[in-house]
Amino acid sequence: MQIYPIETGNFKLDGGAMFGVVPKVIWQKTNPADSNNLIDMSLRCMLIEEEDRLILIDDGTGDKQSEKFFGYYYPFGDDTLDSSLKKYGFHRDDITDVFLTHLHFDHCGGSIQWNKDRTGFEPAFKNAKFWSNKNHWQWAVKPNPREKASFLKENINPIEASGQLNFVSIPENKFSVNSELGFDILFTDGHTEKQMIPHIKYQGKTIVFAADLLPSVGHIPLPYVMSYDTRPLITMDEKAKFLNDAVEKQYYIFLEHDPVNQLCTVKHTEKGVRLDQTYKFNEVFK
């Protein structure tokens, strides 16, 4: 097995929305805001090469949305999905599986692209299976008013229409061991219904793709919960259990939205679980 961090670009979000009830004077110490109160966010994905499978976990925002849409999120940087795949010798047509932690636009927007004459949409990965789960899929195709702006029909409906959609099984205890994709999955409900958090055993260690359970190192303290979360109190419970597991089991946490840090570890302190170390991916995994 080989694992590669895939940088697909950066964007900006409102800092207050990203930290909920936590005052700006506190959160800006780890996530500094610009004059419009916007903070930098990465769109970092993961590629797993395992025998004859090439599994992409999340795929960023894509580029099919309108200029007006992207004007709300200020995309920046030179990294793209294609350039990052090319860096490791791959093309999007090589991808066999696209695993979507959830269907918010910044996690699945790259799944679908315009067709050649821009009359409709088609899968951006023509040879891949797309993986979600039934509970989350139904949650996304019939969205609640709070999440409607994040679940975009043009990102979701064409996946089903393509015939490439697949669902992973959800166990009763919300932790799937050695799932259909070959890695363990934790299902969480605080951010959105049945978000999937991959746990990958690699080089004798466990990497956890944290998605929106832990967007950045600035979100480690329990009350630091996004306003985007539909069930913030459940997020706190899920995060508390996850962070304690991360300490006890020595997880390397892969950060999807942290603009600086690709990986981190955590430790117990008198104030609770806190940041231990941060790393670039290639500092830990060769």
Side-chain angles (χ1 to χ4, degrees):
M1 177 188 290
Q2 290 291 322
I3 293 180
Y4 312 95
I6 300 296
E7 305 286 349
T8 72
N10 303 276
F11 71 132
K12 293 178 179 286
L13 286 176
D14 183 87
M18 283 301 296
F19 286 93
V21 300
V22 179
K24 179 179 179 180
V25 68
I26 298 176
W27 59 251
Q28 69 176 354
K29 295 176 182 177
T30 56
N31 298 72
D34 65 15
S35 59
N36 292 317
N37 209 47
L38 300 173
I39 62 173
D40 293 350
M41 305 287 288
S42 73
L43 292 161
R44 183 176 300 112
C45 307
M46 179 187 287
L47 187 67
I48 303 173
E49 182 183 15
E50 172 71 358
E51 296 182 351
D52 60 347
R53 298 180 84 170
L54 202 59
I55 304 168
L56 181 65
I57 301 179
D58 284 354
D59 51 34
T61 60
D63 58 7
K64 66 183 176 300
Q65 303 304 137
S66 67
E67 184 177 344
K68 179 180 179 181
F69 178 87
F70 283 121
Y72 297 126
Y73 301 105
Y74 303 90
F76 66 96
D78 297 327
D79 292 318
T80 67
L81 174 62
D82 288 324
S83 66
S84 291
L85 290 174
K86 184 177 180 180
K87 175 181 176 181
Y88 300 111
F90 301 113
H91 184 273
R92 63 177 62 202
D93 291 349
D94 300 324
I95 304 298
T96 62
D97 301 89
V98 178
F99 180 89
L100 301 170
T101 61
H102 59 298
L103 296 168
H104 288 168
F105 73 89
D106 54 320
H107 296 258
C108 76
S111 301
I112 300 298
Q113 63 188 6
W114 285 105
N115 59 18
K116 287 184 178 180
D117 55 7
R118 296 181 70 86
T119 58
F121 300 109
E122 63 184 14
F125 305 93
K126 65 182 183 181
N127 299 314
K129 294 180 178 180
F130 291 89
W131 294 90
S132 183
N133 65 76
K134 288 184 179 179
N135 292 43
H136 182 68
W137 188 266
Q138 290 302 312
W139 185 268
V141 297
K142 298 179 180 179
N144 60 75
R146 186 180 178 89
E147 289 182 275
K148 190 173 183 179
S150 293
F151 290 131
L152 306 182
K153 292 180 179 179
E154 58 268 35
N155 287 337
I156 297 171
N157 294 346
I159 297 177
E160 185 171 25
S162 73
Q164 295 170 235
L165 176 62
N166 295 263
F167 294 131
V168 299
S169 305
I170 305 173
E172 290 186 8
N173 66 356
K174 293 187 178 182
F175 193 87
S176 176
V177 177
N178 196 24
S179 70
E180 292 92 331
L181 279 297
F183 47 73
D184 302 341
I185 303 170
L186 171 67
F187 294 83
T188 63
D189 296 309
H191 179 59
T192 188
E193 177 76 8
K194 296 297 179 291
Q195 177 183 210
M196 300 189 290
I197 308 298
H199 290 51
I200 303 122
K201 295 176 176 62
Y202 183 54
Q203 295 185 8
K205 302 176 176 66
T206 299
I207 305 174
V208 179
F209 188 97
D212 280 344
L213 178 61
L214 193 74
S216 75
V217 296
H219 289 85
I220 292 173
L222 291 185
Y224 292 47
V225 173
M226 295 184 288
S227 294
Y228 301 112
D229 286 17
T230 58
R231 306 176 181 114
L233 295 181
I234 291 178
T235 293
M236 290 177 66
D237 288 342
E238 291 172 338
K239 193 165 73 168
K241 184 179 185 308
F242 169 71
L243 289 173
N244 278 301
D245 284 347
V247 175
E248 300 303 325
K249 299 176 183 179
Q250 299 181 322
Y251 292 160
Y252 285 85
I253 303 172
F254 187 96
L255 300 161
E256 187 164 10
H257 288 315
D258 193 303
V260 177
N261 307 294
Q262 293 181 327
L263 293 172
C264 75
T265 55
V266 289
K267 63 183 178 181
H268 288 303
T269 74
E270 292 181 355
K271 294 183 178 181
V273 176
R274 291 293 186 270
L275 178 67
D276 183 17
Q277 299 287 331
T278 61
Y279 308 90
K280 295 296 184 184
F281 192 86
N282 61 10
E283 292 175 342
V284 179
F285 301 100
K286 306 301 182 183

